[in-house]
Amino acid sequence: YRLLGFNDNWIEVDSKRRFAAYTNLNAGSYRFQVTGSNNDGVWNEKGVFIDIAITPPWWKSKWFYSALGLFILLIVTATVWYLFRLRFEISERERAEKSLRISEEKYRDVVEGTTDLITRVDGQGKLLFVNSMAQKIYGRSPAACIGLSAFDFIHPDDRKTTQQWFDGCLENRLKNGSIENRQINLETGEQFSMFWTSHFHFSKNGRLKIINS
């Protein structure tokens, strides 16, 4: 007997061995052939055969390799797309930061270069921001003004009317308002007549958040 596709050489056995064993055959097509002779030594040249097909395990099948190749392709494509997207987002972020920096510089030039007093106060009237004109009008550096009440710098004779105007703006939820009063330089006592234009910002529930003036 012999197994074509594995070993083309004939293997001779006597009549006592009536089986053939093969192990670790690779996937593929084989033909098992058997021929024999009688007691007179006459051989059956034609013999008999059987075709055998051994399928590979699933991890060695063509569909598995195809799926694996497709999976690797998807991973590579996703990685390339992620890196491209990341690079694009970084570029956009850098562009936005540059634009913001330029806007801030322009804003700073306008705010700090003006001769007008610019302030921002919270819902309790405490200063959150004031430009460099605070030194001249309030007699305090901008940093020293933060946290102080804006009413501390209003002339005592004007505080009541200013408070009434302020309460009226809150009651009517006005977005914009204007008032004229006097401010006191706490260092020198000098008075400044001011015309205020204020912009009120409220939360969704109607609570005052900030006032820009």
Side-chain angles (χ1 to χ4, degrees), residues 39-80:
N39 292 332
D40 297 328
V42 178
W43 287 90
N44 180 357
E45 297 295 341
K46 185 176 181 181
V48 294
F49 67 87
I50 182 173
D51 290 326
I52 302 172
I54 298 179
T55 58
W58 63 269
W59 63 86
K60 289 185 177 180
S61 61
K62 291 182 179 180
W63 69 263
F64 175 77
Y65 285 122
S66 299
L68 181 62
L70 179 60
F71 177 74
I72 294 175
L73 179 61
L74 290 175
I75 292 296
V76 172
T77 302
T79 301
V80 171

Side-chain angles (χ1 to χ4, degrees), residues 122-163:
D122 61 16
Q124 287 72 45
K126 292 184 178 181
L127 290 164
L128 299 174
F129 169 81
V130 62
N131 67 345
S132 58
M133 287 301 293
Q135 189 69 56
K136 177 181 179 181
I137 297 175
Y138 289 161
R140 295 286 189 274
S141 67
C145 293
I146 304 303
L148 298 179
S149 174
F151 285 89
D152 293 343
F153 303 97
I154 300 176
H155 192 284
D157 295 340
D158 295 342
R159 287 178 184 172
K160 183 177 180 180
T161 55
T162 302
Q163 184 67 58

Side-chain angles (χ1 to χ4, degrees), residues 118-130 150-151 162 165-167 169-170 174-179 196-202 207-213:
I118 298 177
T119 65
R120 168 175 284 190
V121 300
D122 61 16
Q124 287 72 45
K126 292 184 178 181
L127 290 164
L128 299 174
F129 169 81
V130 62
F151 285 89
T162 302
W165 167 81
F166 181 77
D167 294 340
C169 291
L170 296 185
L174 297 181
K175 292 184 177 180
N176 302 293
S178 59
I179 188 174
W196 293 94
T197 299
S198 300
H199 305 281
F200 296 81
H201 297 269
F202 296 89
R207 186 176 180 180
L208 179 64
K209 296 169 60 178
I210 57 174
I211 306 172
N212 294 322
S213 302

Side-chain angles (χ1 to χ4, degrees), residues 75-152:
I75 292 296
V76 172
T77 302
T79 301
V80 171
W81 170 252
Y82 171 76
L83 294 175
F84 173 80
R85 184 67 183 177
L86 182 62
R87 182 181 179 87
F88 175 78
E89 290 179 355
I90 291 175
S91 178
E92 286 297 303
R93 189 180 301 115
E94 290 176 347
R95 187 180 296 110
E97 290 175 352
K98 182 179 179 181
S99 178
L100 178 61
R101 186 166 56 253
I102 293 174
S103 297
E104 288 177 345
E105 290 174 354
K106 291 181 178 180
Y107 175 79
R108 192 178 300 112
D109 289 342
V110 172
V111 171
E112 298 299 340
T114 183
T115 57
D116 293 330
L117 178 64
I118 298 177
T119 65
R120 168 175 284 190
V121 300
D122 61 16
Q124 287 72 45
K126 292 184 178 181
L127 290 164
L128 299 174
F129 169 81
V130 62
N131 67 345
S132 58
M133 287 301 293
Q135 189 69 56
K136 177 181 179 181
I137 297 175
Y138 289 161
R140 295 286 189 274
S141 67
C145 293
I146 304 303
L148 298 179
S149 174
F151 285 89
D152 293 343

